[in-house]
């Protein structure tokens, strides 16, 4: 089901794709109509349709990380839009192993198109007149990032933070110790009034997660 989060300067549409019920997003600037896909995880036609319905033109493809359920539609999206793919370089090994990752989940996948741009902590990316800041939050995967839209008070948290939970840290290349550091950073620095849009499950707020998320509040 499509969900749309509406703001004065922006709209964010989301759909749920694939067997792992991954949330993938289109976020666009209402003034310029430029938009980014965040996580081309599946259902490329659905994502492109979503952008069209919102009146947006895709100009960037931003990846929170390179797990198969977040990259599976990159080939089709790249072919349809020709736009640059952004990924943190620490997830390049997972990206390069996409075909093998796919086999484990029963995806038939062609090798992915090359990454065009590196993401790094603190980098600011423009989507039309919108600005998003990259937060490097490794742990779930070595190159996991969140995209923080400070003016909108929205963060797309990938598989780092979920409503009431966090992303798995028992996967190949996961690292529980860096996940703890990443969660401490979120807890310390992400404002309470931030709407959190996760890679899986419902939206939440940072305030809510500070109050109820056991992984932010207890030793584990
Ligand atoms: Zn993941
Ligand atoms: Zn995922």
């Amino acid at each position: 089901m499509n969900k749309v989060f509406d703001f004065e300067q922006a709209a964010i549409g989301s759909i749920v794709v694939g067997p792992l019920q991954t949330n993938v997003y289109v976020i666009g600037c209402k003034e310029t109509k430029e938009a980014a896909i965040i996580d081309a995880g599946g259902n490329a036609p659905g994502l492109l349709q979503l952008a069209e319905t919102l009146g947006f033109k895709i100009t960037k493809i931003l990846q929170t990380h390179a797990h198969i359920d977040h990259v599976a539609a990159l080939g089709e999206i790249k072919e349809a839009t020709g736009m640059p793919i952004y990924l943190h370089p620490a997830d390049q090994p997972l990206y390069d192993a996409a075909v093998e990752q796919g086999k484990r989940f029963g995806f038939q996948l062609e090798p992915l198109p090359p990454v065009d741009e590196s993401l790094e902590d603190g980098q600011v990316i423009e989507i039309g007149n919108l600005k998003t800041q990259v937060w490097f939050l490794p742990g779930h995967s070595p190159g996991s990032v969140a995209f923080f839209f400070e003016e909108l008070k929205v963060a797309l948290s990938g598989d780092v933070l979920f409503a009431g939970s966090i992303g798995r840290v028992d996967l190949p290349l996961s690292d529980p110790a860096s996940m703890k550091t990443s969660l401490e950073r979120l807890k310390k620095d992400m404002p309470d009034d931030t709407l959190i849009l996760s890679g899986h499950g419902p939206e939440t707020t940072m305030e809510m997660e500070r109050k109820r998320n056991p992984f932010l509040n207890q030793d584990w």
Side-chain angles (χ1 to χ4, degrees), residues 192-196 203-210:
D192 258 346
D193 57 0
T194 309
L195 176 69
I196 304 287
E203 68 272 18
T204 182
T205 64
M206 199 57 215
E207 182 181 21
M208 181 79 103
E209 295 316 302
R210 265 197 190 88

Side-chain angles (χ1 to χ4, degrees), residues 93-213:
L94 281 172
Y95 193 87
D96 293 339
V99 174
E100 291 79 59
Q101 283 196 66
K103 277 182 194 151
R104 261 178 262 142
F105 290 99
F107 288 88
Q108 282 280 8
L109 205 67
E110 298 288 318
L112 298 176
V115 173
D116 299 287
E117 303 281 347
S118 284
L119 295 172
E120 64 174 342
D121 191 54
Q123 180 181 359
V124 174
I125 296 171
E126 293 180 0
I127 304 162
N129 296 329
L130 307 176
K131 285 187 179 62
T132 187
Q133 190 186 43
V134 176
W135 286 34
F136 178 46
L137 299 168
H140 170 69
S141 75
S144 281
V145 302
F147 297 102
F148 180 42
F149 294 79
E150 191 171 9
E151 284 164 35
L152 301 179
K153 302 180 177 183
V154 173
L156 287 101
S157 65
D159 286 1
V160 179
L161 185 64
F162 301 142
S165 187
I166 59 168
R168 287 175 61 175
V169 289
D170 59 344
L171 301 167
L173 303 186
S174 294
D175 176 32
S178 10
M179 186 63 143
K180 284 181 189 182
T181 308
S182 294
L183 293 172
E184 273 162 28
R185 179 178 175 194
L186 282 176
K187 190 177 174 183
K188 192 168 143 287
D189 295 336
M190 186 61 76
D192 258 346
D193 57 0
T194 309
L195 176 69
I196 304 287
L197 302 178
S198 301
H200 301 270
E203 68 272 18
T204 182
T205 64
M206 199 57 215
E207 182 181 21
M208 181 79 103
E209 295 316 302
R210 265 197 190 88
K211 281 186 189 146
R212 62 115 183 242
N213 194 314

Side-chain angles (χ1 to χ4, degrees), residues 20-23 39 65 67-70 140 158-159 162 199-200:
L20 300 177
Q21 300 276 291
T22 306
N23 296 322
D39 287 350
H65 65 302
H67 281 147
I68 187 67
D69 58 313
H70 298 257
H140 170 69
D159 286 1
F162 301 142
H200 301 270

Side-chain angles (χ1 to χ4, degrees), residues 26-46:
V26 171
I27 175 161
C29 166
K30 284 186 177 173
E31 284 157 8
T32 67
K33 308 295 182 194
E34 286 169 64
I37 283 177
I38 297 190
D39 287 350
N43 191 3

